[in-house]
Amino acid sequence: MYLRWVLRSLVSRSRTGAYGLHGGRFFSAACSGAPLTRNPAKIPKILYACVLLFTFLTIDVVGIWCWLAENLISVVLMASMMSDIRSTKTIVQERFTLQLLPAKASEIVSMLLYKVEKPHPKEPLDPFALVADELSMLADRLRSMVVAEVPKLSSAAEYFFKVGVEGKRFRPTVLLLMASALNMPIPEAAASGAYNNFSKDLRARQQCIAEITEMIHVASLLHDDVLDDANTRRGIGSLNFVMGNKLAVLAGDFLLSRACVALASLKNTEVVSLLATTVEHLVTGETMQMTTKSEQRRSMDYYLQKTYYKTASLISSSCKAIALLAGHTAEVSKLAYDYGRNLGLAFQLVDDILDFTGTSASLGKGSLSDIRHGIVTAPMLFAMEEFPELHEVVDRGFDDPANVDVALEYLGKSQGIERTRELAAEHANYAAEAIEALPESDDEDVLVSRRALVDLTHRVIRRTK
Amino acid sequence: MYLRWVLRSLVSRSRTGAYGLHGGRFFSAACSGAPLTRNPAKIPKILYACVLLFTFLTIDVVGIWCWLAENLISVVLMASMMSDIRSTKTIVQERFTLQLLPAKASEIVSMLLYKVEKPHPKEPLDPFALVADELSMLADRLRSMVVAEVPKLSSAAEYFFKVGVEGKRFRPTVLLLMASALNMPIPEAAASGAYNNFSKDLRARQQCIAEITEMIHVASLLHDDVLDDANTRRGIGSLNFVMGNKLAVLAGDFLLSRACVALASLKNTEVVSLLATTVEHLVTGETMQMTTKSEQRRSMDYYLQKTYYKTASLISSSCKAIALLAGHTAEVSKLAYDYGRNLGLAFQLVDDILDFTGTSASLGKGSLSDIRHGIVTAPMLFAMEEFPELHEVVDRGFDDPANVDVALEYLGKSQGIERTRELAAEHANYAAEAIEALPESDDEDVLVSRRALVDLTHRVIRRTK
């Protein structure tokens, strides 16, 4: 399993040349004593690249190579999860017996670890704090953007933009950090076709993407709550509960139209199309969830597709929109998209775990709410793979609370939660890789923002509410 | 009343110079024996312009002038309502004593009437037949545009696009006719800034506006039916009734997002913004209707504003979009908008009458449905002006059927229905005027389309279902 993964990695990496280059560059940097990268986010990747490179070059006995690869992978996985140089070093030293490497390689790895440690003392990093001021400006502007001619419509539309109920502001945080992370010179060829003349107010336009994304997100919450007959949201009464279904539907429509008008003002039709499609995806995901057939409820593919539509499409497309507005190449825009997609999937997978393990207070809605609504998520799907007899239980539906208990019993016996967590970690890792694959930059702000984006991938995995 | 109207007309016309020009042009045409316009839609207007011009030039005794003006206005109003040259002539001869005009003017008017009669034998004209083939292509494309990944969502979204339940296709008919009516060379200056390079597929892009407009319209119907808990629509079960509120909300959102994606593909951000704003207007109108306060229910202004948002905004903005895509000047785009706005208002005013006078079968929903839902429309508002005691009845609300009967009794005694019909005719007339004010064209297709658009203004007034 590990071996196949390593081989696939090596083949795909060597095709793009990225890892080979990294390894090569840092090999010579290490030998010559020149400064290493100042970007801490890249360090686990560099270690990985160097060690793989040397291993590959110097060891040709398959048995030893496999053993090495297994150790390497676990070291790198753990290191990249921790994003902490000091612990990375400890783990490498503990888990990886350097003596097994040929003398030269071992020496270089030690040197790298030493170098890596010095220029990057661990600093506390809070992604939300980095953009806090901008977020509060953005929240003010959002409140003014959703003012309607009719007072009742205004109060409905602004309901979830009021101070205190703005939610975690996860999406705007990601998007503002992405805007900073991509703040680098654009190649002439790409820029000429794009809206380079807008570069002065580029940041304002990117903030607008964050605002539009929040409006689309809140509009979908309003309509979802109507569909689910929800009573609460973000710790207060849901809009449909407080002002009625009619106003909740209308307020959602209103937010969508305001989002569309704001989109049009950006004068970039690719971006309009991209974000309009996310609305379609939100609807498609919701319908998939509502109309699941028996065999679809057993399918992990169906589940992941639905999750992409419901949770990952909006954030991935808006990340891409941030890149497109800046006039970046298709490659860079794709990396921005990949980050959003994988972060979104990881987020939802953890959400699915928390629906089983969290408490009602920290989840914002009653725990076990998915399964009680008959929605089968990743933990249960993994459990079904281990215990085929669980299929029958799931097919019976969960209107009967006793059946919920039976399913939970199976889940408890299975590796469902652990495997979901692993899958989430894998996606979080892919997200971090997308950031690390961005074109290099020496700009301190760019580096800090990228570090914050990688940090968010860890927070998503670690979060308990 | 009439006098004020005539004076205002004269001042406003002479400001633009349009009527003076028409009068002058046809004066000399008549004197020289040169051919008159071949556009029958312009004839009542021409008569009006000529006679007003001569009257104004030759008579200065205020008393006679007033008497003349009153007769003129009624003749012109009736003539333009009938759009029938033969009856126009009869009416003019019957109602207007030509002897009262100075000899020269009288002679010219007679000549005009004679000339007018010859080149324009009345032809039967069916606006819907003119674009029937294009409409059926458009319906096919609409059905393919609303196909979704999830079967259930597809069946919901296509529900009102199925053969037989497409409705009157009033909006697409207007928009396709408008596209033809504006099919004329664009001044260089205006065209350079516009999308002249798209001129080849201009028609396809204008058809797309018609499709988008239908999608927005149907989306709003779906959500409105959810809000109203409606059971039927277009003679079949409403979507919320057949497939449930959830799917109706989702299908509406889906259509809106598809409309937005299609809009973006037109790559004209002014058009995106224009049509996105109509969604906001639909929502605003609906909310105004839902949240009307007591004093607002008595206000004709509030009623007309709400009617504009709910009915006229979509058709007026999409008419304007047709002009914008063709690269027309702001003036021409404004005339297209004016046509749509006034046609929409006239349509709704007649709808309000039919809600009182029509039968349940021909209305598609139960007669008196507005008042039974507590919605006070133009006929009742006019009745309230005549009978102030009706205010109290209206304030009591219409939950009690006995109260409905009392209100209807007052309405029957009042001029409410007649005055509403007059107001509708006034707006229909404004719509026709907008078409007649378009830059002249000799193209036969353009002329026929304009005639059809004017014909639609009469059909809207005459319709009984």
Side-chain angles (χ1 to χ4, degrees):
Chain A
M1 171 79 183
Y2 272 150
L3 178 57
R4 256 193 298 144
W5 192 69
V6 170
L7 284 172
R8 209 172 54 218
S9 293
L10 276 171
V11 171
S12 68
R13 303 315 188 205
S14 66
R15 215 186 299 138
T16 63
Y19 276 45
L21 276 176
H22 273 160
R25 185 157 60 213
F26 289 101
F27 176 35
S28 43
C31 293
S32 67
L36 280 171
T37 180
R38 292 168 65 203
N39 183 353
K42 285 200 171 151
I43 290 162
K45 194 66 33 168
I46 291 161
L47 282 176
Y48 175 41
C50 288
V51 180
L52 268 184
L53 191 72
F54 292 118
T55 316
F56 207 63
L57 290 174
T58 51
I59 304 181
D60 54 4
V61 184
V62 173
I64 294 178
W65 194 81
C66 282
W67 179 89
L68 261 174
E70 273 213 24
N71 272 281
L72 267 169
I73 298 309
S74 49
V75 164
V76 170
L77 273 179
M78 290 176 79
S80 65
M81 299 275 292
M82 311 211 44
S83 182
D84 178 341
I85 298 315
R86 216 172 295 270
S87 13
T88 304
K89 192 182 166 189
T90 319
I91 293 164
V92 170
Q93 286 175 336
E94 270 175 23
R95 300 267 319 249
F96 197 90
T97 44
L98 290 175
Q99 304 84 301
L100 264 172
L101 279 175
K104 183 68 185 167
S106 157
E107 185 186 310
I108 290 168
V109 169
S110 303
M111 260 176 74
L112 278 172
L113 286 174
Y114 173 70
K115 285 201 164 205
V116 146
E117 194 176 6
K118 286 261 296 269
H120 296 288
K122 177 165 163 66
E123 294 157 23
L125 177 82
D126 180 355
F128 296 92
L130 278 179
V131 289
D133 293 344
E134 208 174 354
L135 274 181
S136 99
M137 266 171 47
L138 203 136
D140 287 342
R141 211 162 37 230
L142 261 173
R143 278 187 282 272
S144 69
M145 279 170 91
V146 299
V147 171
E149 204 174 317
V150 189
K152 203 87 176 182
L153 190 55
S154 279
S155 15
E158 76 186 7
Y159 194 68
F160 283 120
F161 295 117
K162 275 192 220 137
V163 180
V165 277
E166 296 137 315
K168 294 176 292 290
R169 302 199 282 200
F170 186 72
R171 285 164 196 79
T173 302
V174 167
L175 294 170
L176 294 177
L177 288 173
M178 184 60 82
S180 302
L182 298 178
N183 185 19
M184 52 200 180
I186 307 295
E188 201 62 42
S192 67
Y195 294 84
N196 212 26
N197 48 333
F198 288 113
S199 62
K200 253 192 209 163
D201 53 8
L202 172 62
R203 188 77 188 187
R205 290 155 59 71
Q206 290 173 323
Q207 287 169 347
C208 191
I209 291 286
E211 289 152 13
I212 290 163
T213 303
E214 268 307 83
M215 283 197 271
I216 294 177
H217 172 60
V218 170
S220 81
L221 294 186
L222 294 182
H223 283 187
D224 283 0
D225 284 348
V226 171
L227 304 178
D228 299 343
D229 278 327
N231 294 342
T232 57
R233 167 75 71 178
R234 290 181 181 174
I236 60 170
S238 64
L239 186 62
N240 49 312
F241 187 70
V242 173
M243 300 180 88
N245 276 347
K246 295 185 185 193
L247 263 173
V249 170
L250 289 171
D253 290 350
F254 175 74
L255 289 177
L256 286 181
S257 64
R258 276 280 153 104
C260 199
V261 172
L263 263 177
S265 76
L266 294 176
K267 300 194 187 301
N268 184 320
T269 49
E270 188 177 358
V271 169
V272 178
S273 176
L274 192 65
L275 289 190
T277 307
T278 65
V279 178
E280 193 182 314
H281 285 172
L282 288 167
V283 172
T284 306
E286 192 65 32
T287 317
M288 284 174 83
Q289 182 164 303
M290 259 175 58
T291 63
T292 316
K293 287 185 202 137
S294 172
E295 66 269 31
Q296 288 168 337
R297 292 218 305 185
R298 302 172 171 196
S299 156
M300 183 62 94
D301 286 345
Y302 189 86
Y303 163 84
L304 285 175
Q305 188 62 36
K306 182 207 77 182
T307 302
Y308 168 71
Y309 285 144
K310 280 197 64 166
T311 316
S313 171
L314 179 59
I315 186 71
S316 56
S317 295
S318 48
C319 280
K320 186 176 175 186
I322 293 282
L324 289 175
L325 282 185
H328 282 292
T329 58
E331 289 73 29
V332 171
S333 306
K334 174 71 166 57
L335 290 171
Y337 173 87
D338 286 344
Y339 175 81
R341 183 177 188 279
N342 286 295
L343 190 74
L345 291 174
F347 186 93
Q348 187 56 46
L349 287 163
V350 173
D351 228 39
D352 294 343
I353 296 172
L354 293 177
D355 194 55
F356 284 109
T357 62
T359 64
S360 177
S362 63
L363 266 176
K365 51 179 178 175
S367 201
L368 300 177
S369 72
D370 285 338
I371 194 156
R372 285 192 178 135
H373 284 96
I375 301 163
V376 177
T377 59
M380 201 57 80
L381 287 167
F382 281 124
M384 282 157 88
E385 281 181 22
E386 268 179 80
F387 299 99
E389 58 268 40
L390 189 51
H391 281 136
E392 201 199 319
V393 179
V394 168
D395 285 349
R396 259 183 271 152
F398 295 103
D399 292 338
D400 178 4
N403 218 25
V404 174
D405 293 340
V406 176
L408 288 180
E409 210 170 298
Y410 276 106
L411 180 63
K413 285 192 290 185
S414 77
Q415 297 291 305
I417 297 284
E418 288 77 0
R419 286 180 67 191
T420 305
R421 200 174 292 282
E422 277 167 29
L423 186 59
E426 201 178 307
H427 282 294
N429 223 33
Y430 289 148
E433 279 180 23
I435 297 301
E436 289 149 25
L438 287 174
E440 281 206 53
S441 168
D442 288 334
D443 185 299
E444 197 57 46
D445 282 346
V446 171
L447 295 178
V448 168
S449 302
R450 291 183 183 181
R451 212 176 119 201
L453 285 171
V454 172
D455 183 79
L456 278 178
T457 66
H458 308 139
R459 282 173 189 253
V460 159
I461 297 299
R462 284 197 308 259
R463 77 199 175 93
T464 53
K465 61 169 188 169
Chain B
M1 171 78 184
Y2 271 150
L3 178 59
R4 253 192 302 144
W5 192 69
V6 172
L7 285 171
R8 207 173 54 216
S9 293
L10 277 171
V11 171
S12 69
R13 305 314 188 204
S14 66
R15 213 186 301 138
T16 64
Y19 276 47
L21 276 176
H22 273 159
R25 184 157 62 213
F26 289 99
F27 178 34
S28 42
C31 292
S32 68
L36 281 171
T37 179
R38 293 169 62 205
N39 183 353
K42 283 197 173 156
I43 290 163
K45 195 66 32 169
I46 290 162
L47 284 175
Y48 174 42
C50 290
V51 179
L52 267 185
L53 190 71
F54 292 120
T55 318
F56 206 64
L57 291 174
T58 52
I59 304 181
D60 54 5
V61 184
V62 173
I64 296 176
W65 193 83
C66 280
W67 179 88
L68 263 175
E70 272 213 25
N71 273 281
L72 268 169
I73 298 309
S74 47
V75 165
V76 170
L77 272 180
M78 289 174 79
S80 65
M81 297 277 291
M82 311 209 45
S83 183
D84 176 343
I85 298 315
R86 217 172 294 270
S87 17
T88 304
K89 193 185 163 188
T90 320
I91 293 163
V92 169
Q93 287 173 336
E94 270 174 23
R95 300 266 320 248
F96 197 88
T97 45
L98 290 174
Q99 304 86 300
L100 263 173
L101 279 174
K104 184 67 184 167
S106 157
E107 187 188 308
I108 290 168
V109 169
S110 301
M111 260 176 74
L112 278 173
L113 286 175
Y114 173 69
K115 285 202 164 203
V116 146
E117 196 176 1
K118 286 260 297 270
H120 294 289
K122 179 166 161 67
E123 292 157 23
L125 177 83
D126 181 354
F128 296 92
L130 278 179
V131 289
D133 293 345
E134 206 174 354
L135 273 181
S136 96
M137 267 172 46
L138 202 135
D140 288 342
R141 210 164 36 231
L142 262 172
R143 279 187 281 274
S144 68
M145 278 170 92
V146 300
V147 170
E149 203 173 317
V150 188
K152 203 88 176 180
L153 190 55
S154 279
S155 16
E158 74 186 9
Y159 194 69
F160 283 120
F161 296 116
K162 275 193 220 135
V163 180
V165 276
E166 296 138 314
K168 294 175 292 290
R169 303 199 281 199
F170 185 73
R171 287 165 196 78
T173 302
V174 168
L175 294 170
L176 294 177
L177 288 173
M178 183 60 82
S180 302
L182 298 179
N183 186 18
M184 52 201 181
I186 306 296
E188 201 61 42
S192 66
Y195 293 84
N196 213 28
N197 47 333
F198 287 113
S199 64
K200 254 192 210 160
D201 53 7
L202 172 61
R203 188 78 187 185
R205 290 155 58 73
Q206 289 174 323
Q207 287 168 347
C208 191
I209 292 287
E211 289 152 13
I212 289 163
T213 303
E214 268 306 85
M215 283 197 269
I216 294 177
H217 172 60
V218 171
S220 82
L221 294 186
L222 296 182
H223 283 187
D224 282 1
D225 284 348
V226 171
L227 303 179
D228 300 343
D229 278 327
N231 294 341
T232 58
R233 165 76 69 179
R234 291 181 179 173
I236 60 170
S238 64
L239 185 63
N240 48 312
F241 187 70
V242 173
M243 301 180 86
N245 276 347
K246 294 184 186 193
L247 262 174
V249 170
L250 289 170
D253 290 351
F254 174 74
L255 288 177
L256 285 181
S257 64
R258 276 279 152 105
C260 200
V261 172
L263 262 178
S265 75
L266 294 176
K267 300 195 188 301
N268 182 320
T269 48
E270 189 177 358
V271 169
V272 179
S273 176
L274 193 65
L275 290 190
T277 307
T278 66
V279 178
E280 193 183 313
H281 285 171
L282 288 168
V283 172
T284 305
E286 192 64 33
T287 315
M288 283 175 82
Q289 183 164 301
M290 259 175 57
T291 62
T292 316
K293 286 186 203 138
S294 172
E295 66 269 31
Q296 288 168 338
R297 292 218 306 184
R298 302 172 172 198
S299 157
M300 182 62 95
D301 286 346
Y302 189 86
Y303 163 83
L304 285 174
Q305 187 64 35
K306 181 206 78 184
T307 302
Y308 167 71
Y309 284 144
K310 279 198 65 168
T311 316
S313 170
L314 179 58
I315 186 69
S316 56
S317 296
S318 48
C319 280
K320 186 176 175 184
I322 293 282
L324 289 175
L325 282 185
H328 281 292
T329 58
E331 288 73 28
V332 171
S333 308
K334 173 73 167 56
L335 289 172
Y337 172 88
D338 285 345
Y339 175 80
R341 182 177 188 279
N342 286 295
L343 190 74
L345 290 175
F347 185 94
Q348 187 56 47
L349 286 163
V350 173
D351 227 41
D352 293 343
I353 296 172
L354 293 176
D355 194 54
F356 285 109
T357 64
T359 63
S360 177
S362 63
L363 266 176
K365 53 179 177 174
S367 200
L368 301 177
S369 73
D370 284 338
I371 193 157
R372 284 192 180 135
H373 283 98
I375 300 163
V376 177
T377 60
M380 203 55 82
L381 288 168
F382 281 124
M384 282 158 88
E385 281 181 21
E386 268 180 78
F387 299 100
E389 57 269 39
L390 190 51
H391 281 136
E392 202 200 319
V393 179
V394 168
D395 284 351
R396 260 181 271 151
F398 296 103
D399 292 338
D400 178 4
N403 218 26
V404 174
D405 294 339
V406 175
L408 288 179
E409 209 170 297
Y410 276 106
L411 181 62
K413 286 192 289 184
S414 78
Q415 298 290 307
I417 297 285
E418 288 78 359
R419 287 180 68 190
T420 305
R421 200 175 290 284
E422 277 168 29
L423 185 59
E426 200 178 308
H427 281 293
N429 223 31
Y430 288 148
E433 279 180 23
I435 297 303
E436 289 149 25
L438 287 173
E440 281 207 54
S441 168
D442 288 333
D443 186 298
E444 197 57 46
D445 283 346
V446 170
L447 294 179
V448 167
S449 302
R450 291 183 186 182
R451 213 176 118 202
L453 286 172
V454 172
D455 184 78
L456 278 178
T457 65
H458 309 139
R459 284 173 187 254
V460 160
I461 297 299
R462 284 198 308 260
R463 76 199 177 93
T464 53
K465 61 169 188 169

